[in-house]
Amino acid sequence: MRCLLLIVVTGIVAGCATDIEPRAWCESPALLVDRNFAGGNFYRCTAAEDMVYVEVRPEDPPPINRSPWYAFRVSPRAATSATIEIEFVDGYARYWPKLSNDGRTWRRAPEHAVSIAADGSAMSLELAVDEAPLYVSAQELLLSDWYESWLRELAVRDGIDVATVSRSVLGRPIQAARTAARDEVVLLFGRQHPPEVSGALAMRSFVDTVLGDSWLARQFRGRFRVVIVPLVNPDGVERGHWRHNVNGVDLNRDWGPFTQPETQGLRDLVAKLEADGARFRLMLDFHSTRESLFYTQMPDEFDEPLDFATEWLDTARQHLGDFPFKHDPRPPSEQANTKNYFFARYGIPAITYEIGDEVDRVDIEKSTPVFAEEMMRVLLARD
């Protein structure tokens, strides 16, 4: 038996009425499709005979950045094959589909099973489905429990404190891990935008390197305090949002206005550090985009022969072989993002650390420790 699922990112499928209410599941004679799990998301789903139609929309139109997130579970009534037609009406095929049998261990859909239209507006996915449920998602599901497990690992290390420093709109904790108090502070933030999973994977590897037991890491923590907030937007992550928190706000456009509890809590955390005498030296904000790159300030913004970002990234490149990434310096702007806020307020290198959506996960694990090690070396060498 063959089953056809048509996944539509905004827009209307022929035969589906526009007044259908959102629905978390649908079924056909062959299978059940649902989004009743953390991170699952589509707008509505209807079934007719052996056809299943699913419509996906951004949580708040229009999307600031077209990051068409989809995550659903296919539960067949018997082993079968399925053709999934994903049509992106108000977007494009940004994310290569990821598959999982348990929602934890993920693999890329094989190349031969995926076909993408020349203009990126549609994707076809051919799957063999056994009797067990199969998760299909735009990216791996890295949810609150993934972060909780990681933070528990950090909390048992000597000299690392983990505490709730803020709460989301829906009351979910926003936690920070902090090393021992020092006068100089490095700030690391992550997951302001829910779909940006490759940036989250890079952040974990980066943090684990900086908090490791190498001579370099111990020297670094002897001079610098590291403050890590890995999950800034827990509500958006749990709900499978494209971009925003549950109030429809892009948190990386709220640094300055501070209209949301998530950013207000982090503002207060930074203010408390400053009141306690902290001297901020660096801010890194981990994200994902189509390719790996680093958004930095212009070199002439700093009164020094060689700015931190240029020295850091040039030395890292020497050790990274053929790992591709770009250094993209930009002048200050009025955009209320984390990078602009920390540079304008504190005059420090404030860098958006972007990893390409589809960078091989093994390459992330290999390259990220190099970026972390060179960051530590360059900062340690500076007054």
Side-chain angles (χ1 to χ4, degrees), residues 212-243:
D213 197 40
S214 70
W215 178 89
L216 177 61
R218 293 195 305 270
Q219 289 291 112
F220 187 79
R221 298 196 303 274
R223 176 175 165 184
F224 297 94
R225 186 177 206 184
V226 187
V227 177
I228 305 140
V229 185
L231 179 56
V232 175
N233 189 357
D235 293 346
V237 167
E238 292 297 301
R239 291 193 170 195
H241 283 185
W242 290 26
R243 188 79 172 179

Side-chain angles (χ1 to χ4, degrees), residues 101-371:
N101 297 109
D102 58 8
R104 296 181 179 276
T105 303
W106 294 86
R107 61 191 183 275
R108 283 169 57 90
E111 298 284 335
H112 65 79
V114 179
S115 176
I116 299 175
D119 62 358
S121 63
M123 175 190 294
S124 178
L125 177 61
E126 298 281 346
L127 292 176
V129 187
D130 60 25
E131 295 182 6
L134 178 69
Y135 292 85
V136 181
S137 184
Q139 295 283 49
E140 302 93 320
L141 294 174
L142 303 185
L143 305 164
S144 293
D145 58 351
W146 186 82
Y147 287 95
E148 290 165 5
S149 175
W150 177 26
L151 289 166
R152 282 196 300 270
E153 292 176 14
L154 297 182
V156 300
R157 299 187 187 184
D158 291 339
I160 299 177
D161 170 69
V162 175
T164 297
V165 296
S166 183
R167 291 201 176 263
S168 68
V169 174
L170 298 180
R172 291 188 172 93
I174 298 172
Q175 294 184 294
R178 290 171 282 198
T179 60
R182 301 285 185 261
D183 291 340
E184 298 175 272
V185 174
V186 171
L187 299 165
L188 308 178
F189 298 103
R191 209 73 184 276
Q192 297 199 65
H193 297 147
E196 298 183 5
V197 166
S198 59
L201 293 169
M203 184 179 190
R204 181 163 185 168
S205 180
F206 192 98
V207 168
D208 287 349
T209 303
V210 173
L211 301 187
D213 197 40
S214 70
W215 178 89
L216 177 61
R218 293 195 305 270
Q219 289 291 112
F220 187 79
R221 298 196 303 274
R223 176 175 165 184
F224 297 94
R225 186 177 206 184
V226 187
V227 177
I228 305 140
V229 185
L231 179 56
V232 175
N233 189 357
D235 293 346
V237 167
E238 292 297 301
R239 291 193 170 195
H241 283 185
W242 290 26
R243 188 79 172 179
H244 299 152
N245 74 347
V246 298
N247 283 341
V249 175
D250 182 340
L251 296 179
N252 200 35
R253 301 295 183 271
D254 194 46
W255 286 81
F258 295 114
T259 65
Q260 300 304 299
E262 295 92 343
T263 49
Q264 290 167 1
L266 298 184
R267 174 201 60 193
D268 295 346
L269 167 65
V270 171
K272 177 65 165 54
L273 291 166
E274 187 177 16
D276 290 343
R279 183 159 62 100
F280 300 115
R281 296 298 306 274
L282 174 67
M283 189 286 300
L284 298 180
D285 185 22
F286 290 78
H287 286 264
S288 305
T289 189
R290 295 155 194 80
E291 58 184 341
S292 299
L293 56 86
F294 294 80
Y295 292 117
T296 74
Q297 287 71 48
M298 302 297 291
D300 60 8
E301 296 286 349
F302 300 95
D303 185 19
E304 53 193 12
L306 184 62
D307 67 299
F308 166 82
T310 298
E311 184 177 359
W312 171 39
L313 297 174
D314 283 355
T315 56
R317 195 183 300 276
Q318 295 171 16
H319 299 284
L320 282 169
D322 59 357
F323 181 79
F325 71 92
K326 295 180 180 178
H327 178 193
D328 191 352
R330 296 191 174 188
S333 74
E334 297 301 314
Q335 191 177 83
N337 62 34
T338 320
K339 168 179 168 285
N340 287 330
Y341 175 79
F342 279 95
F343 175 68
R345 184 170 178 84
Y346 298 106
I348 62 172
I351 297 171
T352 307
Y353 186 133
E354 303 262 13
I355 292 295
D357 298 323
E358 302 302 332
V359 172
D360 188 281
R361 286 13 182 179
V362 173
D363 289 342
I364 292 176
E365 287 294 319
K366 290 180 178 179
S367 63
T368 304
V370 175
F371 287 115

